Amino acid sequence: MKVAIAIGAHPDDIEFGMAGTLLMLRRVGWEIHYLNVANGSCGSRQHRAAKLVAMRRQEARAAARVLGAHWHPSLVTDLEILYELKTLRRLAAILREVKPIIVLTQSPEDYMEDHTNTCRLVVTAAFSLGMANFRTVPARPAIDAEVTLYHALPHGLRDGLRRRIVPGAFVNTTPVHATKLAALAEHKSQQDWLDASQGMNSYLQTMDEMSRAVGRLSRRFTHAEGWRRHSHLGFSVNEADPLAVALGKEYRVNRHYEAALGRCL
Ligand SMILES: [Zn+2]
């Protein structure tokens, strides 16, 4: 079976910008996986860390169930997603076990470092899939696999310096939007926190507005998720766009983005 994994920084990041694409892949027969690198330990003013981590673990598991995704436990606590060897070895072991064809992860530019560090860790973990001399924890043999990475849009659709990030491609998430909302709604502990810390009236409404905004950018879909595809160099022999192959008409390449990349040598 073809396998895709979404790797987000915190519980609910996948539901905000990647879950629709996971669901669309599941509709066409893919096996989907779900991993939050951090456990959400800092996302509350009310609850002590230990209690909050337990709550958010349950919420994330429930969300993964709604998505029909295989759930993987988090690796570190919030603000401790660092580009360092211990987490890299554990992440690489998970990828060697899951053997994904598609890896969905955070944007290389984003509003906070847990997100950008998640991106860097995932890129290197995927890069090491076939490297027999890179030791993973637990030890897993290197695999002969081709993988394609896609980066989600940053929070607020802008980088940390407020610049708009333009998607290179769009996935129509309209057919699965209700399920995506239901998965996000499982993160009940986040309503008050996001309200207080980021002025979100309702995190469900915010996701809805974000996916409509990306849908408008696509000029085709009502709800959409946007992606930027990583260079294939070091990840697959030839350039590939497996989301395009899997999703057909439900996927739209942004021709302006492609043109702006410049011509291939
Ligand atoms: Zn986050």
Side-chain angles (χ1 to χ4, degrees), residues 8 43 45 53 57 72 81 85 96 99 115 117 127 141 146 156 175 185 201 203 206 214 223 227 238 260:
R45 290 178 181 176
V53 166
R57 180 183 168 102
H72 296 264
I81 305 180
L85 200 49
R96 286 181 184 189
K99 301 179 177 60
H115 285 212
N117 286 337
F127 194 84
E146 305 226 321
N201 288 333
Y203 69 118
T206 301
V214 180
H223 290 281
W227 296 99
N238 299 307

Side-chain angles (χ1 to χ4, degrees), residues 87-122:
T87 307
L88 181 61
R89 290 197 194 284
R90 293 170 71 197
L91 209 41
I94 293 165
L95 288 184
R96 286 181 184 189
E97 279 172 23
V98 170
K99 301 179 177 60
I101 293 171
I102 290 175
V103 175
L104 309 174
T105 193
Q106 308 279 178
S107 171
E109 307 91 15
D110 212 320
Y111 81 123
M112 62 94 72
E113 298 296 320
D114 275 359
H115 285 212
T116 50
N117 286 337
T118 293
C119 173
R120 295 181 69 200
L121 287 162
V122 170

